[in-house]
Amino acid sequence: IKRVYLNSNNFNQDITQTSWDLMQDLQELDLSSNRLLGTIPDALLALPKLQVLSLNNNRIDGNLPTQYPPFSTLRYLTLSDNHIGGSIDKSISKLDSLVHLDLSSNVLTGDLPHQLSSLVNLEYLFLSRNEQLNAGGIPYFLEKLTNLRDLSLSLTNRVGQIPGNILEKLSNLVLFDVGINDLNSEIPSQISNLTNLKYLILNRNYNLEGTVPEGVQLLPALDILMVDRTSVNGTLSPLCNSEHKAVIVGSNCQKSEPKMECECCNICCSRDDNATCHDTTYFGKLNPSWEYSFQRKQYEFDAEIFDVDDSDEYRNGTVNLLGGSKWGDNSTLGTGAKPNIIP
């Protein structure tokens, strides 16, 4: 057996009870969206030909592995939406063939190890919603991951400044998601150099201040900008007046100071607004359908930020009946309030 796709079947057994060491030819395994229990078996990670391992959206607990096999062929690893704890061990550097790594929505602890910088083939790195991680800055080792397209670090206790000198080296970024942290200072002008950037999520960083640099507002691919519940101020007129219309969730557009001028903001929430103003929690995650050559993946957003009804189209996306906006691209920006729908 080379490929096993058993996702969404309500299996509820202990994942450790399978004799994984007898499946030496296995290349792709998708057991996502079941009710699997237990811890991640070492024998599963040690399979010599395994390229895809998708265990997201189960009830797996215990800690992340503390040892990873050398010469791993694993390219896609997604463990999101489980109850996995522990720290990310430095031996993760052995998984140097990884292209996709999704550990989001778990209970990870400790620091983000610099050994992640060895995963130079990474294009998608999702660590969001691990709020028990040690407080720390946006890691400087990210500058070595120059192939990154999607980076999600929301709700991971990131503090300090957004390092512009790192971001300018990540020229392939499409998604930069660092919302719901404790970042401060100003939005770095180097983001203006990220000409592929579509989704810039900075909201709920209450001490983020200054203005949105004009170069950022004029990014040619920018589709979503979220700066609500920050102290960002100034004008967004360059973005509002550009031919490329983006969805904007702004802050302090009408009442409190410092005020943001934004006549085209879809939603405005000041940092002092009550908890019901744009209260959906956005977070990056990977949710592909592996059996379609790893290609069918999408971004989704809650319909609250779109000034359209269920029958309208917005740009290259459509609003579905569950209130998400389906964007034909290569990963997922989901919400904590509604399910992601992959048609």
Side-chain angles (χ1 to χ4, degrees):
I1 298 177
K2 294 183 178 181
R3 298 172 179 87
V4 176
Y5 308 116
L6 293 172
N7 51 302
S8 304
N9 278 292
N10 272 334
F11 296 141
N12 61 0
Q13 63 262 41
D14 190 324
I15 194 173
T16 62
Q17 300 303 308
T18 300
S19 299
W20 299 109
D21 55 338
L22 300 180
M23 305 180 71
Q24 294 295 299
D25 291 324
L26 190 63
Q27 297 177 13
E28 301 169 17
L29 176 63
D30 186 352
L31 295 174
S32 61
S33 299
N34 284 291
R35 294 184 291 169
L36 296 174
L37 306 169
T39 60
I40 302 169
D42 291 338
L44 182 53
L45 288 171
L47 291 175
K49 299 179 182 179
L50 191 65
Q51 297 182 42
V52 171
L53 178 57
S54 181
L55 299 176
N56 59 294
N57 195 22
N58 278 291
R59 299 176 181 178
I60 297 171
D61 55 16
N63 291 340
L64 282 175
T66 56
Q67 289 295 323
Y68 296 91
F71 312 113
S72 172
T73 57
L74 200 60
R75 300 184 65 211
Y76 302 84
L77 176 61
T78 173
L79 303 174
S80 64
D81 296 283
N82 280 291
H83 307 290
I84 300 170
S87 59
I88 303 173
D89 192 82
K90 61 184 181 181
S91 65
I92 199 170
S93 62
K94 296 177 182 178
L95 304 182
D96 55 5
S97 295
L98 277 181
V99 175
H100 294 215
L101 177 60
D102 187 354
L103 303 177
S104 59
S105 298
N106 280 293
V107 286
L108 299 181
T109 58
D111 298 321
L112 298 181
H114 68 86
Q115 285 82 2
L116 284 169
S117 65
S118 299
L119 309 182
V120 295
N121 294 305
L122 273 185
E123 296 179 11
Y124 306 90
L125 177 59
F126 301 102
L127 300 174
S128 58
R129 292 178 70 88
N130 279 290
E131 52 191 304
Q132 295 183 35
L133 285 168
N134 289 346
I138 295 176
Y140 276 82
F141 63 70
L142 291 173
E143 65 183 1
K144 297 182 180 180
L145 305 181
T146 55
N147 290 313
L148 277 181
R149 293 186 72 250
D150 286 10
L151 174 61
S152 180
L153 297 172
S154 62
L155 201 59
T156 57
N157 281 322
R158 296 308 93 196
V159 300
Q161 301 180 11
I162 300 174
N165 57 330
I166 292 177
L167 287 180
E168 65 182 352
K169 297 178 181 179
L170 304 181
S171 59
N172 295 311
L173 276 186
V174 173
L175 165 69
F176 182 56
D177 170 26
V178 291
I180 324 178
N181 282 300
D182 195 20
L183 298 172
N184 56 38
S185 194
E186 300 184 355
I187 300 172
S189 61
Q190 290 94 329
I191 294 180
S192 305
N193 299 323
L194 304 180
T195 55
N196 296 306
L197 192 66
K198 289 186 177 183
Y199 310 106
L200 180 56
I201 315 300
L202 305 174
N203 62 327
R204 302 197 207 180
N205 283 285
Y206 295 107
N207 295 313
L208 194 65
E209 56 189 13
T211 63
V212 180
E214 183 172 348
V216 174
Q217 298 185 47
L218 297 178
L219 283 169
L222 188 64
D223 277 336
I224 301 286
L225 171 65
M226 293 186 187
V227 290
D228 55 294
R229 300 196 182 180
T230 68
S231 295
V232 173
N233 59 83
T235 180
L236 291 182
S237 293
L239 180 54
C240 291
N241 295 330
S242 68
E243 294 182 0
H244 182 88
K245 297 301 182 183
V247 171
I248 309 168
V249 182
S251 188
N252 304 342
C253 307
Q254 298 175 346
K255 35 190 174 181
S256 57
E257 297 292 338
K259 186 176 181 179
M260 173 181 287
E261 297 178 9
C262 183
E263 64 270 21
C264 64
C265 277
N266 299 67
I267 294 177
C268 278
C269 300
S270 77
R271 57 175 293 167
D272 300 320
D273 271 336
N274 63 50
T276 62
C277 182
H278 192 225
D279 59 350
T280 302
T281 298
Y282 293 89
F283 56 99
K285 64 182 296 185
L286 178 65
N287 192 14
S289 292
W290 305 112
E291 60 267 42
Y292 291 91
S293 301
F294 322 132
Q295 295 300 311
R296 200 174 68 171
K297 304 176 287 291
Q298 296 182 330
Y299 290 95
E300 296 189 3
F301 292 88
D302 187 82
E304 177 189 6
I305 66 174
F306 295 92
D307 187 20
V308 292
D309 62 35
D310 287 342
S311 63
D312 289 332
E313 292 187 354
Y314 182 84
R315 298 181 55 77
N316 63 336
T318 59
V319 176
N320 67 34
L321 297 179
L322 284 179
S325 177
K326 298 182 289 184
W327 298 78
D329 216 302
N330 290 331
S331 56
T332 300
L333 190 70
T335 75
K338 296 181 176 67
N340 296 318
I341 305 300
I342 305 296

